[in-house]
Amino acid sequence: MSDDQPHTRTRLPVGEQSVYQQVNGRQPRPLRTLLAVLAVVTLLVVGISIANRGAPAPGASDSSVDRARPAPAATVPSGQDPVSTTSNGIANGYPHTDQGAQSAAANYAVALGSEQMFRADTRRAVITTIADPTVAAALQARLDQAFSADTTAKFGLDAQGRAPKGLTFVSRTVPVGTKTTNAADTATRVDVWAVGLHGLAGDGSTQPVAADWFTLTVTLRWAGSDWKLTDYSRKSGPAPVPDDQQAATAEEITAAVQDFGGFRYAR
């Protein structure tokens, strides 16, 4: 039969039409559509795989600064026994490790921010306990000047560091975290991020207890059997946004100070 002869087209029922079209080598439209969808999906999967091959892990930053910054060392149990000895109420006998230095720094921050620093006799006991003997005299003179009568007066205390009758003086430092900034075998420097509570609690107080966020940098030296303080500095912050929590009454603050003791820190 020549190609120019007319062809007769016969429309068959749907079931028979599909069979004849397959015999004649023609793909049905549903099959072509399915193949097209599979092809698109395959291309998408391949494209995503190629794109993710060089992508950073979830949560990672593209910044070289972020990649270089070490992760913060969490304050978690280390398996070591906590410090169990004290002198003048201050923990001592820290291990000759980085964790031992950070524990010492946290406890020394608590001591330096305590009520004992506002009285000459107890301040001397604190310095004798935590300071390196080679610099203890210099630190004592420096802190005596820092806690002068003018300073105690700003906190509502008399020259001897005593609160007015009927009021309770509050001065506590609560470490939030520590970070070693310059570690060495015999000397190290540790930053202590902390919040301080200062003020007079009680009825009629004109200086209610308030919170103060700061970072205390302490320099420590290994003195042969313990970490000892050789220097310190203080700067404000970082301070979080204050919450809208209702402030406690004078009675509640007074009761809290009397009922809740401070912590001894060890890692």
Side-chain angles (χ1 to χ4, degrees):
M1 181 182 297
S2 62
D3 294 337
D4 55 358
Q5 289 182 345
H7 297 277
T8 301
R9 300 191 178 209
T10 305
R11 183 173 298 275
L12 299 173
V14 175
E16 298 181 8
Q17 182 178 357
S18 61
V19 174
Y20 275 83
Q21 287 176 340
Q22 292 179 14
V23 172
N24 293 336
R26 298 175 60 187
Q27 297 292 338
R29 290 184 180 180
L31 184 57
R32 288 202 304 271
T33 302
L34 177 60
L35 291 176
V37 170
L38 291 175
V40 171
V41 172
T42 302
L43 290 175
L44 286 175
V45 172
V46 173
I48 293 173
S49 299
I50 295 174
N52 288 339
R53 185 173 302 172
S61 172
D62 291 335
S63 170
S64 58
V65 175
D66 291 339
R67 290 197 298 269
R69 183 183 296 116
T75 305
V76 296
S78 63
Q80 299 176 352
D81 291 335
V83 177
S84 58
T85 57
T86 62
S87 178
N88 292 321
I90 303 172
N92 59 8
Y94 302 96
H96 189 194
T97 61
D98 178 62
Q99 289 187 357
Q102 292 189 43
S103 293
N107 281 315
Y108 293 168
V110 172
L112 290 171
S114 66
E115 301 164 13
Q116 285 72 24
M117 296 299 294
F118 289 82
R119 299 190 299 274
D121 55 343
T122 53
R123 179 167 63 248
R124 187 173 297 109
V126 169
I127 301 306
T128 301
T129 302
I130 69 176
D132 186 320
T134 62
V135 298
L139 284 175
Q140 183 70 56
R142 178 181 171 188
L143 286 165
D144 285 343
Q145 184 178 6
F147 289 92
S148 64
D150 290 339
T151 300
T152 57
K154 291 179 181 178
F155 285 89
L157 309 175
D158 63 16
Q160 286 71 43
R162 293 174 300 197
K165 186 177 180 179
L167 298 179
T168 301
F169 177 56
V170 180
S171 180
R172 288 194 185 185
T173 293
V174 183
V176 177
T178 58
K179 178 181 67 174
T180 302
T181 58
N182 184 20
D185 185 55
T186 57
T188 188
R189 188 164 59 242
V190 179
D191 284 347
V192 182
W193 182 32
V195 58
L197 302 178
H198 304 284
L200 292 170
D203 291 334
S205 172
T206 58
Q207 294 177 311
V209 178
D212 172 36
W213 290 86
F214 62 93
T215 299
L216 185 72
T217 299
V218 297
T219 303
L220 306 172
R221 186 180 76 86
W222 182 251
S225 60
D226 207 354
W227 290 106
K228 293 296 183 179
L229 178 73
T230 60
D231 197 8
Y232 73 93
S233 62
R234 184 185 188 279
K235 65 179 181 180
S236 297
V241 176
D243 199 356
D244 58 355
Q245 185 176 7
Q246 182 177 355
T249 64
E251 292 79 7
E252 290 173 332
I253 288 293
T254 302
V257 172
Q258 295 173 349
D259 294 343
F260 293 91
F263 284 105
R264 186 177 303 160
Y265 295 83
R267 301 184 65 178

